[in-house]
Amino acid sequence: MSDNTLPSNSPAAAPSRRRTVLRRLPVVGGAAAGAVLLLAGPAFAHVTIQPGQAAKGDYATVDFKVPNERDDASTVKVEVDLPADHPLASAMPQPVPGWDVKVTKEKLDKPVESHGEKLTEAVTRITWSGGRIEPGQFQQFPVSIGALPEDADQLVFKALQTYDNKEVVRWIEAPKKGAPEPENPAPVLELVDAGAAEQGGGTDTAGAKDAKAGESGADAGKSSTTTAADSTDNTARVLGVIGIVVGVIGVGFGVFAGRRRTT
């Protein structure tokens, strides 16, 4: 009995192997492009606080960055709850064009000692409404907060994002060390010693003076928060460009493979 199958290392089998490889290249290229684009998207889709750290016991100006993660609806309201376990005496939002802001204060069940003063009430919620964040866009909401606690390592700010189709996304899950990021993570502000915060650009000394005088200190931290936001956006753009390049390569291999098969 004769065997008509060609050995895999024979010259006649080489064209067949090349065709197989060329057919697989578009699939590999497309899969790689998809993986890169998946990595570039969800990592920046949730509500965050920038910069991500500030000095213990100090005042800070932070931005709540709210991206629109829907393709067919606009964000029309953003609510941020301030941490109840560490009440903040001062939370002053900077005006955002096109948006109305409401600061809610509540009396504390038990007075809290903070930096030598007794707090009987604290800011519990800040609500922005009346504006729109369209699909494919984001908005930053600056707030001067303080004085930050000295006996905590982080503050968790739970946020609610409301769309014009009545959908409400609840960014309220506190991340846990050593565990994967939750599906709907809450914005978290890390609290560090003053020296570390100054190196990371999270200290707002000018904002502290303005807050104590009853004035807004939002402009004092505008430069550092803008830098942090730009850094995040640049990373997203780089990842997006990489995904596009890999996708183009995959399409190119597909066209090349098609021409080889027809010749």
Side-chain angles (χ1 to χ4, degrees), residues 48-53 61-65 140 224-225 228-230 232:
T48 57
I49 188 169
Q50 299 176 349
Q53 66 173 216
T61 297
V62 297
D63 281 352
F64 290 97
K65 183 176 180 181
Q140 291 180 313
S224 62
T225 54
D230 291 344
T232 301

Side-chain angles (χ1 to χ4, degrees), residues 36-37 39-41 43-44 65 229-243:
V36 172
L37 290 175
L39 289 173
F44 303 97
K65 183 176 180 181
D230 291 344
S231 176
T232 301
D233 293 337
N234 288 339
T235 303
R237 293 191 188 100
V238 170
L239 289 174
V241 170
I242 292 174

